[in-house]
Amino acid sequence: EDDVATLSKEDFIEDYAVRFFLTEHGYFKKISHASLRMAGEQKLKEADTMLMEQDGMNRMDLLFFSNQQNVYKMKASDVADTKASVLGDYLPNLLNMEAEEEIIYMTATADYAGQMVFFFENGKAAKVPLNAYETKTNRKKLTNAYSADSKAVGIFFVPEAKTRSDHKDFLIVSDGGKAMIVSSNLLTKKVTRTS
């Protein structure tokens, strides 16, 4: 009995390299690397632009951060692979988002290691461990994903630093044109998401 392996649903999900795409108008694509090699130009809706893209694996968790301080979670394997020649999935429909809500950042994770860094309009910044978004149940929406005290003007994922050189630097430019570089290791890690 001790030698019997217990298989979960995830054991039957194929894991392979993919690239995730997010557009400004809320379209999402998951394209396998094999399909991407043969692809032409990415098809986008008129006046839409590519907001971000990220390499990952089919078994990863996807986290979508909205402008309403929510984070929507889903398994990458729950989204069908697509091709560069299609628009992709419309996130407001796929995630059952609120009216007027927009996805402004996306990241994928296999282990919830690393941190999220938030920059706010009032000049403040917060670094929150990514595992603050990990849940034991399959909740699809987490409220209070980050502080609502000021508008988020920048959201970034920072991998876990193994050496001093692994820290990420951010160039911050003020309305007056002054600039400074801030290293992620200078930001104190906060315990709560809404810090």
Side-chain angles (χ1 to χ4, degrees):
E1 185 178 318
D2 293 338
D3 296 334
V4 175
T6 305
L7 298 177
S8 70
K9 178 184 162 190
E10 285 201 2
D11 292 322
F12 296 97
I13 297 172
E14 188 180 357
D15 204 18
Y16 51 90
V18 293
R19 184 170 293 166
F20 307 112
F21 297 88
L22 175 65
T23 75
E24 189 175 13
H25 289 180
Y27 285 89
F28 171 77
K29 298 181 190 185
K30 179 184 81 170
I31 304 176
S32 71
H33 279 200
S35 179
L36 207 54
R37 282 192 290 272
M38 297 179 285
E41 190 174 322
Q42 290 288 338
K43 181 176 181 178
L44 299 174
K45 204 171 142 187
E46 190 175 329
D48 198 2
T49 58
M50 196 62 69
L51 190 60
M52 59 184 305
E53 60 184 82
Q54 180 182 346
D55 285 322
M57 300 297 288
N58 189 50
R59 283 195 189 173
M60 287 183 149
D61 286 354
L62 297 168
L63 283 77
F64 296 96
F65 291 82
S66 85
N67 62 344
Q68 302 293 318
Q69 296 81 43
N70 295 319
V71 64
Y72 292 88
K73 295 173 52 176
M74 66 184 312
K75 303 278 187 194
S77 57
D78 289 343
V79 180
D81 287 10
T82 189
K83 299 184 182 317
S85 60
V86 298
L87 292 176
D89 292 297
Y90 189 52
L91 287 176
N93 295 340
L94 188 66
L95 302 173
N96 295 320
M97 293 165 48
E98 303 293 326
E100 306 299 317
E101 190 172 21
E102 298 174 10
I103 297 300
I104 55 176
Y105 190 81
M106 160 193 80
T107 192
T109 182
D111 57 6
Y112 288 87
Q115 299 93 48
M116 295 301 301
V117 175
F118 301 90
F119 291 96
F120 299 97
E121 197 171 52
N122 63 5
K124 294 186 178 183
K127 182 167 69 172
V128 178
L130 190 62
N131 64 14
Y133 303 98
E134 188 174 19
T135 56
K136 300 296 179 208
T137 61
N138 280 337
R139 281 194 295 163
K140 294 195 182 261
K141 178 181 177 180
L142 298 175
T143 58
N144 300 316
Y146 57 92
S147 176
D149 292 345
S150 182
K151 179 184 175 185
V153 293
I155 303 176
F156 304 93
F157 170 73
V158 178
E160 198 65 51
K162 293 176 178 45
T163 66
R164 280 184 169 255
S165 62
D166 287 346
H167 295 288
K168 193 170 193 171
D169 290 335
F170 298 97
L171 174 65
I172 301 170
V173 182
S174 72
D175 289 343
K178 296 188 180 196
M180 71 172 151
I181 295 176
V182 176
S183 177
S184 60
N185 69 332
L186 297 177
L187 299 172
T188 306
K189 198 182 288 188
K190 302 297 182 183
V191 178
T192 60
R193 298 191 307 243
T194 55
S195 293

